[in-house]
Amino acid sequence: MRRLARLLFIALTLLRFGVDEVALSGFKQRWVRLLVRVVTIGRRFDEPRGVRLRKAFERLGPIYVKFGQVLSTRRDVLPLDVANELALLQDRVPPFSGALAVAIVERAFGAPIGTLFAHFDPQPVASASIAQVHFATLKTGREVAVKVLRPGMLASIESDLSLLHTLARGVERVWVDAKRLKPREVVAEFDTYLHDELDLVREAANAAQLRRNMAELGLLMIPEMVWHLCAHNVIVMERMKGVPISQLQRLREAGVDAKKLARDGVTIFFTQVFRDGFFHADMHPGNIQVSIEPATLGRYIALDFGIIGTLTEFDKEYLAQNFLAFFRRDYKRVAELHVESGWVPPHTRVDALESAIRAVCEPHFDRPLKDISLGQVLMRLFQTSRRFNVQIQPQLVLLQKTLLNVEGLGRQLDPDLDLWSTAKPFLERWMHEQVGWRGLLDRLKNEAPRYAQLLPELPRLAHQALQRHGSIEPALLEAMLLEQRRTNRLLRSWMVVAIVFVAGVLMVQWWLSWPT
């Protein structure tokens, strides 16, 4: 009965805000258009569809607010006006009581709040769809922030997720365009994100990894976790003191160089993406602050690590080559990369895809570089590629959404920011390190332990393979042995050359360092 009542409440809310009319309007069948006219009889909607959808999610509660946030990242699936409106679903959830937060913390660590903290502020400083944050002070005097998961979230989301999965399956059966839009995969993606965010220990681990990655760069500050006070529903971290990046006037008054801050943001983003393949994927202004302390003036402060994007080596190389091809207006190479990656059917005509990509990109290059939005170009490229059944990868959509956030922040700080010229040297250097001699030497160094273990075992492995697959002709065996001897001689020669080369380099360095 409880699930039936919840389903009835959801249905009435969707009808109240006309979400049924928004959903059905995408169908082309005559009977569906007739149904739209029937269900909208007596109802009048004065607000745009995106606004109505956002208000419906807010009315349905925290789970649907989070679902709307995740949907807003799928600009390859949703119309632009709807995605932009859903992107406003940030920090709009009323907080739960401070007394309840205290009770959750005490149950998590099995101790009274007074023995855990010297002071705990029951008034939350931030409240979102999944958790809220309180300031506190440890017994040692260290100031910390305490993130507390909303109570009853798991049971609530399991019920609502079950309904969402059922709805997605139904849409996929009756909607002809569902094969491309993949509603079941979108809901499954949301399911994964939501369960990851419900485990606050995972978020703490993400923060620790980012902190290690960014330590040497010196541009980004990540709070340190207090690990003995971290549980699945409560985490305690270092309190970060900064000014929200949206308060630009206050930052300028504190002496922060806005233009440098914009360039540093681009550097941080591309370092996380192309060097580490591990990036903060929720970089809206509410999660980004700037330090105004004298020792760390102008450094970024990142908060909320529930959504983290990861990229494989293949993803990073694909993206870097795509970006560089864009910079060089090599649209044929962009089309070839789509085919090589397997994201378009193998029978796709490269020249047709190249023409479509040129139509998207070329108009932008006739404008000043500072007026070109790289994020918008990628978004329109995703939309255009629907014609070719391009299978957009979720990690790249998350990256594109983050790029739009970074670019928007950068333009807010410096309207003349040229993201293209700022990113191009970084990408060219990265490609040189990956493809050039330095990249080759690094890969050889990384693989050397594997080669050292494998080479001595090759004769035994070859013998075992021959035994498994039967006997071999004597002539062929003799040829294989001869080839093996030649290979051994070649390897010895290369080793000698390498030793001589290294010795020569060491001697030159020794001679140059010798005092004159």
Side-chain angles (χ1 to χ4, degrees), residues 264-277 323 327 374 403 406 419-420 422-424 426-427 430:
D264 288 348
V266 176
T267 300
I268 290 169
F269 172 73
F270 281 97
T271 300
Q272 290 183 0
V273 171
F274 290 104
R275 189 193 69 182
D276 305 325
F323 283 149
F327 295 142
L374 184 57
L403 178 58
V406 171
L419 183 64
W420 297 69
T422 306
K424 186 177 178 181
F426 187 99
L427 293 172
W430 185 85

Side-chain angles (χ1 to χ4, degrees), residues 155-198:
S156 175
I157 70 159
E158 291 296 348
S159 175
D160 283 350
L161 281 173
S162 175
L163 295 175
L164 285 173
H165 281 290
T166 302
L167 178 62
R169 286 194 296 269
V171 169
E172 206 165 75
R173 288 192 185 100
V174 300
W175 194 6
V176 294
D177 209 24
K179 182 178 181 181
R180 178 178 59 81
L181 299 181
K182 301 179 179 178
R184 283 194 297 174
E185 291 190 15
V186 171
V187 173
E189 183 182 337
F190 170 61
D191 192 333
T192 301
Y193 285 152
L194 196 54
H195 278 92
D196 286 350
E197 286 198 74
L198 286 176

Side-chain angles (χ1 to χ4, degrees), residues 316-376:
K316 291 192 291 184
E317 183 175 347
Y318 167 82
L319 284 168
Q321 291 194 44
N322 259 301
F323 283 149
L324 289 174
F326 282 139
F327 295 142
R328 297 164 182 165
R329 303 198 195 189
D330 188 356
Y331 306 120
K332 182 178 181 180
R333 181 57 185 154
V334 177
E336 290 172 345
L337 285 167
H338 277 70
V339 177
E340 292 172 5
S341 66
W343 292 351
V344 294
H347 61 269
T348 302
R349 288 180 52 186
V350 173
D351 59 337
L353 183 56
E354 175 191 356
S355 177
I357 293 170
R358 182 183 295 108
V360 170
C361 301
E362 195 63 28
H364 293 273
F365 282 104
D366 290 333
R367 300 158 57 191
L369 283 177
K370 70 180 183 65
D371 295 334
I372 298 174
S373 168
L374 184 57
Q376 292 291 341

Side-chain angles (χ1 to χ4, degrees), residues 203-223:
E203 178 177 343
N206 289 339
Q209 182 67 53
L210 272 178
R211 182 182 170 89
R212 284 194 298 272
N213 291 348
M214 294 287 102
E216 296 181 2
L217 194 62
L219 299 177
L220 178 65
M221 299 169 63
I222 309 288

